[in-house]
Amino acid sequence: MLTGLFRLHGLFVASHPWEVIVGTVTLTICMMSMNMFTGNDQICGWNYECPKFEEEILSSDIIILTITRCIAIVYIYFQFQNLRQLGSKYILGIAGLFTIFSSFVFSTVVIHFLDKELTGLNEALPFFLLLIDLSKACALAKFALSSNSQDEVRHNIARGMAILGPTFTLDALVECLVIGVGTMSGVRQLEIMCCFGCMSVMANYFVFMTFFPACVSLVLELSRESREGRPIWQLSQFARVLEEEEDNKPNPVTQRVKMIMSLGLVLVHAHSRWITEPSSQNSTVETSKVELGLDETMPKRIEPEMPLWQFYLSRMISMDVEQVITLGLALLLAIKYIFFEQTEMESTLSLKNPMSSPAAQKRIADDCCGKDNGLKHSHKSAAEVTVTKEDTAEVIKPLPVVSVAETKFVAGDDVFSNASSLPSSPAPQVQLPLDPRPTEECLSILRNPEKGAQWLSDAEVISLVNAKHIPAYKLENIMESPERGVAIRRLMLASKLPNPSSLKTLPYKEYDYSMVMGTCCENVIGYVPVPVGVAGPLILDGKQFQVPMATTEGCLVASTNRGCRAIALGGGASSRILADAMTRGPVVRLPTACQAAEVKAWLESPEGFKCIKEAFDNTSRFARLQKLLIGLAGRNLYIRFQSRTGDAMGMNMISKGTEQALSTLQEKFPELHVLAVSGNYCTDKKPAAINWIEGRGKSAVSEAIIPAQIVREVLKTSTEALVDVNINKNLVGSAMAGSIGGFNAHAANIVAAIYIACGQDPAQSVGSSNCITLMEATGPTNEDLHISCTMPSIEVGTVGGGTNLAPQQACLKMLGIQGASKENPGENARQLARVVCGTVLAGELSLMAALAAGHLVKSHMTHNRSKMNLQELPGTCTKKAA
């Protein structure tokens, strides 16, 4: 409701600017006129001498007052600098100065109307300047300047008032109440300054709510061209102002605190001013004193015979030192602001701007018409089509509204925009020289915050890289878009390759590199598209899953899909999670083997485990130490930390906890030396019996019963043949090979395909593919097939790493497990492990059936044999075999 009222108020003020301005000025004049009928003529200054209290003026007071004035002037200067950064050096500056002046005038008029003396006004003026805050006026001006028509100006001012009005009202109330406490201090000068400060805050609020928005609306209306009816200037950098300001809404907690504080201050003022009133006797005595000294308190002219202009001129010539310092600083900053500030971002009102010429307009139209070709520009032209702040600031007419096709990364049916590397609106091109400029000039352009890399050609950027001014690995961060950084790196690399055109077929465009930088890859030169197939539906635990598989091996997805079909016809598969604990195994060394044994005994004691667990658990809200497995080899201790890690795969999380636990262990045993936070006792990305026996990550098991009819009709074999092949291949054959965890047909195939599709670490398929596949006959006639897969070390996660990339997130969404589980932390990662285990079950079933039926070679010759790049050798039968 309050927002709606401010919106209506803003709409009214913007729609009737003349009425509001005239009404405000009329009210000001009336209040000045009414001052003539009051009983107090004590207006000090303006060639009037007022009664002064006998107060000794110290030099320290003069110094403090001078410093305060200088601070106020510098503060106003920085306020105007902030206005200039909005893109207008003069227009908003004049508006801000007019706001300050009108606030000051209105404050003075209010004090006149309230019959208050103005003695000490020169001391209160710096205090008034420090109270001026143009941020709200700037924000409201940005709302207005983001408009293309007068109607839009009115609606945007109304919208800005709805957003800014309630906050500014509450801030003004709090400021008045806080400053008003000073009026009860008993110190005369402080009371005068605080009284004037309260009036100034009120006047500033009144001007902001009425006078300023009306002036902004009127200025924009008067600055429209007579022919086209459009604003003479257009600030394109304000295109997103509405979203930015709405995102900056005040914190509700802060607002509540301000309201509570305001109520408390109101009670303080009420108690001080109305409840504890001075006694009537004191009032009588004071009245009598005033009446007795009436003649002494009457204001007198300082120079009765001197004209007003001559009086002021003489006073200006005979200024004190502090006045000279203050005035000199003000003039110096004014000259610096007007003549020496950079003017590249200035929005000028001049109609002689070159952009308004027909030739320039034609060039803009050509640029807009050629936008489609611009999206397909070469490496060298990448810098030429980039929009800069200088270009947008030079546009003095709104360009035709033309929808620019954004660069898109397409994955399935979803479209992901890469808006970071595209201009928000059509704009003139940056004209770059044909020949590279000197390195020093290029470096100065790069370091210029208002220019930057978009003002440099690719050749100039490469020269800066070769001169070590730009680190090659930081190209994505320094360029105006990460994609251009990748393109330049490709140019630099191409000349160093045996075949300079090697990268031609490696794509790099239309990819969101912001999700890659600092997370997934460095020195990026592109990306490799991998075909993604789907196997399913996989019926697992009563749910259907369409499993994405990224692979270049023919037959893999088709074979797994056949296994899923057989499982579904048999009633589905079941799975369970047996354990959930990621591991990290550091190696530490002690002076002697006996001391190492003592540390081992302490770690295995309840007291030692509790101490280490407390240190470990404090490093994360998810990591919880479950178990320590300790091995000893001479003076070395190998400590295997096991912990749950939520929905993350958890290597970074558990490494952090391990490091903290080792620090605590060193405090207990100072002679202990940490050799490495990873001592291969984890074990990560290497075949290891400890993972096969103890497990790592998620330990899962899945099983299914396939009826004999399905075995015959779908798998084209028999239960007896499957059991026989499984025993002699997966069990005996793997034992003969000395395999560790490899008692399966091809679990790594399925694990790697799912890992690549779902953003997992492909290297962890080494340990994750540990699996034992068992088959046996079951059922009333022992013709049905019972198959199970046990996988003790599936290392997966649904947050972090490659799961942040959009295509990989799409594959996780297919399974319904993207991101972290809100209801049960870690459940999404466990569900992914169950899907991996169930899909491995399907793949094992289909491949073993193909082996038992003798179909493996035939199917691979049909689906998994490349017809490309086959060399014809004499005496071969390549064509016949194909």
Side-chain angles (χ1 to χ4, degrees):
M1 178 180 178
L2 191 60
T3 302
L5 291 176
F6 279 98
R7 182 187 294 272
L8 292 175
H9 170 74
L11 184 61
F12 173 80
V13 172
S15 301
H16 305 83
W18 280 112
E19 292 84 344
V20 173
I21 293 173
V22 171
T24 305
V25 173
T26 302
L27 179 62
T28 303
I29 295 175
C30 289
M31 295 177 70
M32 293 178 66
S33 303
M34 292 175 67
N35 183 56
M36 299 178 183
F37 299 97
T38 59
N40 187 5
D41 297 326
Q42 189 172 358
I43 302 176
C44 302
W46 293 284
N47 199 16
Y48 278 89
E49 183 180 15
C50 292
K52 299 180 180 179
F53 294 87
E54 294 296 326
E55 294 180 354
E56 183 180 359
I57 301 177
L58 302 176
S59 59
S60 59
D61 296 337
I62 298 176
I63 294 174
I64 294 174
L65 185 59
T66 304
I67 294 174
T68 306
R69 289 173 177 171
C70 293
I71 292 174
I73 293 173
V74 173
Y75 174 75
I76 293 299
Y77 169 77
F78 281 112
Q79 290 270 17
F80 275 78
Q81 263 201 335
N82 294 334
L83 290 175
R84 188 187 69 82
Q85 292 176 1
L86 294 177
S88 177
K89 184 174 181 180
Y90 296 109
I91 298 175
L92 291 181
I94 294 172
L97 185 63
F98 188 69
T99 301
I100 295 176
F101 176 77
S102 58
S103 297
F104 178 78
V105 170
F106 193 78
S107 302
T108 307
V109 170
V110 170
I111 295 175
H112 278 202
F113 179 76
L114 296 178
D115 198 21
K116 300 292 183 181
E117 68 175 19
L118 297 180
T119 308
L121 189 59
N122 56 338
E123 287 84 4
L125 182 58
F127 187 63
F128 168 78
L129 293 178
L130 290 175
L131 290 175
I132 292 294
D133 183 12
L134 299 179
S135 61
K136 295 294 189 301
C138 294
L140 188 63
K142 287 198 295 183
F143 276 96
L145 291 171
S146 62
S147 311
N148 288 320
S149 64
Q150 188 61 25
D151 289 335
E152 194 174 350
V153 167
R154 299 188 185 101
H155 289 290
N156 285 347
I157 289 179
R159 191 172 182 179
M161 191 65 72
I163 295 173
L164 302 172
T167 305
F168 192 61
T169 301
L170 184 57
D171 290 344
L173 176 63
V174 172
E175 287 181 21
C176 284
L177 292 174
V178 172
I179 298 173
V181 175
T183 61
M184 302 179 291
S185 62
V187 180
R188 178 176 172 273
Q189 286 296 102
L190 181 60
E191 289 182 351
I192 293 174
M193 294 178 67
C194 291
C195 180
F196 190 77
C198 290
M199 298 300 174
S200 300
V201 172
M202 294 171 59
N204 190 31
Y205 174 77
F206 178 80
V207 170
F208 173 81
M209 297 298 293
T210 57
F211 204 74
F212 181 76
C215 288
V216 170
S217 178
L218 184 61
V219 167
L220 293 181
E221 184 174 1
L222 294 178
S223 64
R224 298 160 69 86
E225 286 187 278
S226 59
R227 295 182 180 179
E228 297 181 4
R230 295 176 177 174
I232 296 178
W233 40 267
Q234 175 70 22
L235 300 177
S236 300
Q237 57 264 45
F238 293 146
R240 296 185 300 271
V241 63
L242 302 181
E243 291 77 10
E244 291 176 359
E245 291 301 326
E246 288 183 337
D247 291 339
N248 293 331
K249 288 184 179 180
N251 190 331
V253 177
T254 305
Q255 299 297 89
R256 286 194 291 269
V257 170
K258 289 181 180 180
M259 294 179 66
I260 295 173
M261 186 172 65
S262 301
L263 293 176
L265 290 172
V266 168
L267 294 177
V268 171
H269 282 273
H271 180 270
S272 302
R273 299 183 184 279
W274 292 299
I275 298 179
T276 58
E277 293 181 352
S279 61
S280 57
Q281 295 179 355
N282 293 338
S283 302
T284 306
V285 173
E286 293 174 0
T287 304
S288 61
K289 288 182 179 181
V290 171
E291 291 174 355
L292 292 174
L294 184 61
D295 296 334
E296 299 178 0
T297 59
M298 290 296 292
K300 302 176 181 178
R301 290 180 65 93
I302 300 174
E303 298 289 346
E305 306 296 330
M306 185 179 296
L308 186 63
W309 65 270
Q310 188 176 354
F311 169 77
Y312 276 113
L313 183 61
S314 62
R315 294 297 294 266
M316 289 178 63
I317 295 175
S318 59
M319 289 189 297
D320 298 330
V321 176
E322 63 269 20
Q323 295 173 335
V324 172
I325 293 175
T326 305
L327 184 60
L329 178 62
L331 291 176
L332 180 65
L333 293 178
I335 293 172
K336 180 179 181 295
Y337 180 83
I338 295 173
F339 296 105
F340 295 99
E341 293 287 345
Q342 294 180 352
T343 59
E344 286 83 357
M345 294 177 61
E346 176 183 343
S347 282
T348 176
L349 287 174
S350 174
L351 292 178
K352 298 181 181 180
N353 191 297
M355 293 298 299
S356 62
S357 63
Q361 294 179 0
K362 183 178 184 299
R363 180 165 58 88
I364 295 174
D366 293 340
D367 293 339
C368 296
C369 295
K371 64 184 183 301
D372 294 334
N373 296 329
L375 295 175
K376 301 178 181 179
H377 58 271
S378 61
H379 304 313
K380 188 170 183 178
S381 63
E384 298 178 358
V385 298
T386 306
V387 180
T388 63
K389 295 180 179 179
E390 285 76 11
D391 294 327
T392 55
E394 289 179 356
V395 180
I396 63 171
K397 293 182 181 180
L399 298 176
V401 180
V402 181
S403 60
V404 180
E406 290 186 349
T407 304
K408 297 178 173 61
F409 181 86
V410 182
D413 294 333
D414 294 331
V415 177
F416 303 93
S417 298
N418 183 16
S420 60
S421 62
L422 287 177
S424 59
S425 62
Q429 296 180 350
V430 177
Q431 298 297 330
L432 298 177
L434 298 178
D435 298 326
R437 290 164 285 193
T439 302
E440 293 75 13
E441 183 179 353
C442 295
L443 187 61
S444 64
I445 293 174
L446 179 66
R447 292 175 177 175
N448 189 338
E450 297 183 357
K451 290 187 177 180
Q454 61 266 37
W455 285 75
L456 300 174
S457 66
D458 291 352
E460 291 171 338
V461 173
I462 292 174
S463 68
L464 291 178
V465 174
N466 293 333
K468 307 299 182 184
H469 293 298
I470 298 178
Y473 64 89
K474 285 188 176 180
L475 279 170
E476 292 90 344
N477 295 322
I478 296 177
M479 295 301 100
E480 69 276 9
S481 68
E483 186 174 298
R484 188 187 175 204
V486 174
I488 293 175
R489 184 179 291 113
R490 289 165 63 99
L491 288 175
M492 297 174 60
L493 180 63
S495 60
K496 303 176 183 179
L497 300 177
N499 185 357
S501 62
S502 301
L503 300 178
K504 183 177 181 180
T505 55
L506 178 66
Y508 75 95
K509 294 184 178 181
E510 301 180 356
Y511 195 84
D512 187 4
Y513 290 103
S514 64
M515 304 304 297
V516 177
M517 295 184 298
T519 304
C520 299
C521 188
E522 300 79 33
N523 291 333
V524 180
I525 59 173
Y527 56 91
V528 177
V530 180
V532 179
V534 60
L538 172 67
I539 308 299
L540 183 66
D541 301 323
K543 300 178 183 178
Q544 290 190 10
F545 294 95
Q546 300 289 345
V547 183
M549 300 175 66
T551 181
T552 56
E553 179 183 347
C555 286
L556 177 59
V557 177
S559 176
T560 307
N561 191 68
R562 184 176 74 148
C564 291
R565 180 167 177 261
I567 292 174
L569 293 174
S574 301
S575 65
R576 293 292 184 271
I577 294 295
L578 308 176
D580 182 4
M582 182 50 65
T583 64
R584 174 58 86 190
V587 53
V588 300
R589 176 178 291 170
L590 288 105
T592 65
C594 293
Q595 287 178 296
E598 292 175 1
V599 175
K600 180 178 184 296
W602 184 81
L603 288 172
E604 291 174 342
S605 67
E607 176 190 357
F609 180 78
K610 180 180 178 181
C611 180
I612 295 299
K613 177 177 172 59
E614 182 178 354
F616 186 97
D617 293 352
N618 284 336
T619 60
S620 171
R621 57 196 179 106
F622 294 111
R624 295 294 177 264
L625 185 63
Q626 296 176 340
K627 181 181 177 182
L628 290 175
L629 181 64
I630 306 156
L632 187 147
R635 296 190 296 142
N636 293 347
L637 270 183
Y638 296 86
I639 311 169
R640 195 171 191 256
F641 291 79
Q642 291 181 278
S643 169
R644 284 194 174 188
T645 56
D647 283 302
M649 185 272 291
M651 285 302 302
N652 292 334
M653 187 188 302
I654 195 171
S655 296
K656 181 181 177 183
T658 299
E659 198 170 52
Q660 183 63 37
L662 291 178
S663 298
T664 303
L665 189 61
Q666 283 182 308
E667 294 175 1
K668 182 71 175 178
F669 300 95
E671 63 278 8
L672 182 143
H673 174 60
V674 178
L675 294 180
V677 73
S678 176
N680 276 4
Y681 199 55
C682 314
T683 294
D684 188 35
K685 302 174 184 176
K686 292 167 284 292
I690 194 169
N691 290 350
W692 173 244
I693 298 169
E694 293 290 334
R696 188 170 194 260
K698 277 69 175 172
S699 300
V701 62
S702 61
E703 64 176 349
I705 295 178
I706 312 299
Q709 182 180 359
I710 304 302
V711 173
R712 290 192 300 269
E713 296 179 0
V714 177
L715 301 177
K716 310 300 181 183
T717 185
S718 65
T719 299
E720 182 182 359
L722 279 172
V723 172
D724 187 41
V725 172
N726 185 72
I727 292 174
N728 290 282
K729 169 185 167 62
N730 289 343
L731 304 183
V732 178
S734 296
M736 290 290 293
S739 177
I740 298 176
F743 301 96
N744 57 81
H746 70 149
N749 251 338
I750 288 87
V751 171
I754 296 177
Y755 274 24
I756 295 172
C758 295
Q760 309 302 304
D761 190 342
Q764 289 189 322
S765 61
V766 174
S768 299
S769 57
N770 284 337
C771 174
I772 181 170
T773 301
L774 297 177
M775 296 183 185
E776 56 184 311
T778 187
T781 59
N782 274 345
E783 292 181 348
D784 298 338
L785 175 69
H786 179 275
I787 178 173
S788 66
C789 287
T790 306
M791 305 179 68
S793 52
I794 304 176
E795 300 151 330
V796 291
T798 57
V799 296
T803 64
N804 294 326
L805 302 178
Q808 285 79 349
Q809 286 184 347
C811 292
L812 290 171
K813 289 178 181 178
M814 288 176 60
L815 300 172
I817 53 174
Q818 190 266 325
S821 173
K822 298 181 180 179
E823 294 78 13
N824 187 9
E827 182 58 32
N828 281 354
R830 289 189 286 270
Q831 181 62 65
L832 179 57
R834 286 193 289 266
V835 169
V836 169
C837 191
T839 311
V840 167
L841 183 76
E844 291 286 285
L845 178 63
S846 182
L847 177 57
M848 293 301 292
L851 288 171
H855 298 162
L856 179 65
V857 176
K858 180 180 177 181
S859 61
H860 273 261
M861 287 297 102
T862 303
H863 300 288
N864 191 29
R865 192 172 188 198
S866 175
K867 311 290 191 304
M868 305 293 293
N869 299 327
L870 294 179
Q871 296 181 357
E872 282 284 351
L873 296 178
T876 60
C877 301
T878 304
K879 292 183 178 180
K880 293 182 180 179

